[in-house]
Amino acid sequence: MNSISSLYPQYKPERQFFLLAGPCVIESPQVLRETASELKRLSIKYEIPLIFKSSFTKANRSSLHSFTGVGDQVALEWLANVGQEFQVPLVTDIHQESDAALAAPYVDMLQIPAFLCRQTSLLVAAAKTGKMVNIKKGQFLSPDSMQFAVQKVVEAGNEQVFITERGTTFGYQDLVVDFRAFPIMNAFGKPTIMDCTHALQQPNQLSGVTGGQPHLIETMAKCGLAAGAHGLFIETHPNPAVAKSDGANMLELSRMDALLAKLVQLKHALQ
């Protein structure tokens, strides 16, 4: 838990959860600023440690024609500007070894996508930047198996590791979450996070566009906290209907306030 405390010295894990939130991919400075501004307001209102999230590039899209980004350098500069303007720490995805060194100067945390959580060279490259590393559990892995991903980062000299649950493949076009994952992964001694949006994906649709069930985000968040998650991951956008990536999964930004109010109450009740 020391990693979050280094960013937010007042953080008390027994009474607070932390939040990774933002739009799926960097689309424009306007979307970044609008989302970051509202999330920063809510983080202050509810005393929730916030790490603002947006991917500078998307390598794992369903279709060759799907939006992947505005350009790596441009996107990272936009993200860094928002972080500086609103004084929030930042997290972004990386997909290959070279991304680690490219993105690290701009952000506080590097995120390993679920499909790549066993990619040793990527984990080691992320670890060696000295940044916090959030590893998403592969849809194909048991919770116990994530100890080996964590070990790779730790043995590369970086103790600042987080583990994110984002569901397990169920058939060809659905995911399920086994909430036993949290006590299992908490035993590794690293903070755990519930990904409330990607756990509700409906992948591999014949349209080539991933579906989702955003109306269940609140349910996932509540269950994650109740099961022992230390943090929540929620992708959000001012207008998900026009988002260029994962619009089917993201929560409309205007709904974040009411959701966080309920989740803060729940966290207090769980003390």
Side-chain angles (χ1 to χ4, degrees):
M1 306 307 294
N2 293 335
S3 299
I4 295 296
S5 297
S6 67
L7 297 173
Y8 293 94
Q10 304 306 314
Y11 171 58
K12 304 294 184 186
E14 66 276 7
R15 68 176 183 85
Q16 294 171 289
F17 60 89
F18 59 88
L19 179 66
L20 276 64
C24 177
V25 66
I26 296 168
E27 305 174 9
S28 70
Q30 293 77 20
V31 169
L32 284 178
R33 288 192 75 258
E34 182 177 351
T35 310
S37 176
E38 175 65 359
L39 291 175
K40 178 60 184 275
R41 182 186 74 84
L42 296 175
S43 74
I44 294 171
K45 177 179 179 179
Y46 294 112
E47 298 182 343
I48 299 171
L50 168 68
I51 302 179
F52 184 72
K53 184 269 171 186
S54 200
S55 297
F56 75 96
T57 186
K58 295 293 290 184
N60 50 344
R61 302 304 310 279
S62 297
S63 169
L64 180 64
H65 306 291
S66 297
F67 179 80
T68 58
V70 297
D72 294 354
Q73 197 66 45
V74 170
L76 286 167
E77 289 174 2
W78 288 352
L79 185 60
N81 288 341
V82 165
Q84 184 174 16
E85 179 179 357
F86 296 101
Q87 291 297 291
V88 290
L90 304 168
V91 56
T92 198
D93 289 290
I94 60 172
H95 300 86
Q96 52 191 354
E97 294 171 60
S98 59
D99 286 350
L102 175 64
Y106 298 90
V107 300
D108 303 272
M109 175 187 283
L110 298 172
Q111 183 164 276
I112 308 299
F115 286 118
L116 299 173
C117 69
R118 293 190 63 191
Q119 195 73 15
T120 301
S121 58
L122 183 61
L123 292 167
V124 171
K128 289 185 175 179
T129 66
K131 300 293 182 175
M132 295 183 286
V133 180
N134 181 31
I135 312 172
K136 288 197 169 184
K137 182 177 77 64
Q139 302 93 321
F140 44 85
L141 287 182
S142 69
D144 304 89
S145 299
M146 285 300 291
Q147 65 184 297
F148 304 112
V150 171
Q151 286 173 8
K152 290 176 183 179
V153 176
V154 171
E155 290 178 11
N158 191 333
E159 292 281 349
Q160 301 181 97
V161 191
F162 296 70
I163 315 167
T164 294
E165 168 62 51
R166 53 95 72 231
T168 301
T169 300
F170 185 72
Y172 289 118
Q173 295 175 324
D174 206 359
L175 299 165
V176 295
V177 176
D178 180 356
F179 287 98
R180 295 176 297 179
F182 289 100
I184 292 170
M185 296 192 299
N186 284 344
F188 306 156
K190 302 299 181 185
T192 56
I193 302 168
M194 178 67 228
D195 183 341
C196 307
T197 41
H198 293 94
L200 294 167
Q201 279 186 331
Q202 294 178 314
N204 306 318
Q205 300 297 311
L206 295 181
S207 65
V209 178
T210 297
Q213 298 174 306
H215 60 285
L216 294 175
I217 288 173
E218 179 179 327
T219 300
M220 284 293 172
K222 288 177 176 177
C223 291
L225 291 178
H230 302 104
L232 299 174
F233 179 105
I234 302 175
E235 286 189 338
T236 182
H237 190 284
N239 185 0
V242 300
K244 294 185 178 181
S245 177
D246 278 2
N249 307 307
M250 286 191 282
L251 186 70
E252 188 173 341
L253 185 61
S254 63
R255 298 176 60 191
M256 283 292 292
D257 195 335
L259 174 62
L260 293 176
K262 293 178 182 179
L263 297 177
V264 167
Q265 284 187 315
L266 174 60
K267 180 64 177 178
H268 289 166
L270 290 169
Q271 291 183 42

